[in-house]
Amino acid sequence: MPSFRHEKRCAEAGAIRIAGIDEVGRGPLAGPVVAAVAVIDRTIAKRRLLRLIDDSKKLTLEEREEAYAAMLASGAVRYAVGEASVEEIDAINILQATFLAMRRALEAMAEQPDLVLVDGNRLPPELGCRAETIIGGDARSYSIAAASIIAKVTRDRLMCALAQDCPGYGFESHKGYSVPEHLEALDRLGPTVYHRRFFAPVVTARERHQATDIKGGPLVIETQLSVEIAAPG
């Protein structure tokens, strides 16, 4: 279970406002990458709230939603969210887009932290404050775990919204990850504007559909879908 051990260590070294930061969405074939920053006021965070906070990957959808709602209602958690779009992922690669989303989340905080605990083993450049990495931090630090839940809930909701523009792809269930259902839809329908152009399965699907177009194969499904998703709702 997470704890405040790392936060307390940083506080003893002089940091006052300590944040956790985490991202979600590096692996999917579609959709943005989302990062969240969370600061937990340990003086008012109740035990019943902390019992809900854990690594978002260990929680069910219902548990994440419950923890998210409890954090917002508690008054003990301050947070901000940032994202990098599919276009930015294509332009600068997924790692740099992840760092960009983290910086945007930090910039969106009303009060900047003194120190940020970052999940993983790489520090984003130019964060604007002191930072340190914690491998497996979303399972070890309450602040990072809270950020992981906020980022996950935010991105899942975004992907459910995109599913309304892209019927047939199953974004609402797999959230853009490369599960068999998604790969089958890519093969059948071709990529949308929400797909990451340079991820291998998307490249393969695009090339296959381009080859079909050149040979004079059926174009109706791909053309209609492109028109429908050109202007997200």
Side-chain angles (χ1 to χ4, degrees):
M1 290 291 293
S3 72
F4 282 124
R5 180 169 62 88
H6 294 283
E7 288 85 346
K8 290 177 180 177
R9 171 178 53 79
C10 295
E12 290 169 359
I16 298 174
R17 188 173 173 82
I18 301 162
I21 189 167
D22 200 8
E23 54 74 27
V24 64
R26 287 184 63 174
L29 306 178
V33 60
V34 174
V37 179
V39 176
I40 301 177
D41 186 335
R42 302 194 301 277
T43 65
I44 63 174
K46 304 296 185 183
R47 187 179 299 274
R48 61 178 175 271
L49 170 65
L50 298 179
R51 281 200 296 264
L52 299 174
I53 299 175
D54 201 350
D55 176 359
S56 64
K57 297 186 293 297
K58 297 180 179 180
L59 303 178
T60 65
L61 184 152
E62 291 76 16
E63 289 170 337
R64 288 193 298 269
E65 288 285 350
E66 182 183 6
Y68 180 84
M71 284 190 283
L72 268 60
S74 71
V77 182
R78 297 289 181 267
Y79 75 95
V81 175
E83 68 175 80
S85 67
V86 170
E87 293 79 10
E88 289 169 325
I89 293 169
D90 290 339
I92 62 177
N93 76 48
I94 185 59
L95 177 61
Q96 296 305 318
T98 298
F99 291 161
L100 177 61
M102 288 182 171
R103 289 195 296 270
R104 285 173 172 167
L106 267 173
E107 290 167 0
M109 289 290 285
E111 295 182 64
Q112 292 299 295
D114 302 308
L115 185 142
V116 178
L117 301 174
V118 182
D119 183 46
N121 61 1
R122 298 190 65 169
L123 284 178
E126 301 175 355
L127 280 181
C129 66
R130 288 186 294 156
E132 63 176 68
T133 59
I134 302 177
I135 296 174
D138 45 6
R140 299 169 62 189
S141 158
Y142 274 127
S143 300
I144 298 177
S148 78
I149 293 169
I150 293 165
K152 175 65 173 168
V153 170
T154 300
R155 188 179 187 279
D156 282 359
R157 292 177 178 181
L158 285 171
M159 294 307 296
C160 287
L162 292 186
Q164 301 301 310
D165 289 333
C166 305
Y169 286 87
F171 288 161
E172 70 280 3
S173 60
H174 56 67
K175 309 303 187 290
Y177 284 88
S178 56
V179 299
E181 174 192 358
H182 190 185
L183 296 175
E184 186 279 329
L186 262 177
D187 184 65
R188 176 167 46 88
L189 301 172
T192 71
V193 295
Y194 301 118
H195 281 92
R196 301 172 183 182
R197 291 177 55 83
F198 302 114
F199 279 44
V202 180
V203 172
T204 299
R206 184 172 64 248
E207 290 176 347
R208 177 184 177 279
H209 276 259
Q210 287 174 343
T212 301
D213 295 352
I214 291 171
K215 293 176 183 178
L219 303 178
V220 176
I221 293 177
E222 184 179 8
T223 302
Q224 288 180 340
L225 182 61
S226 297
V227 171
E228 290 175 357
I229 66 175

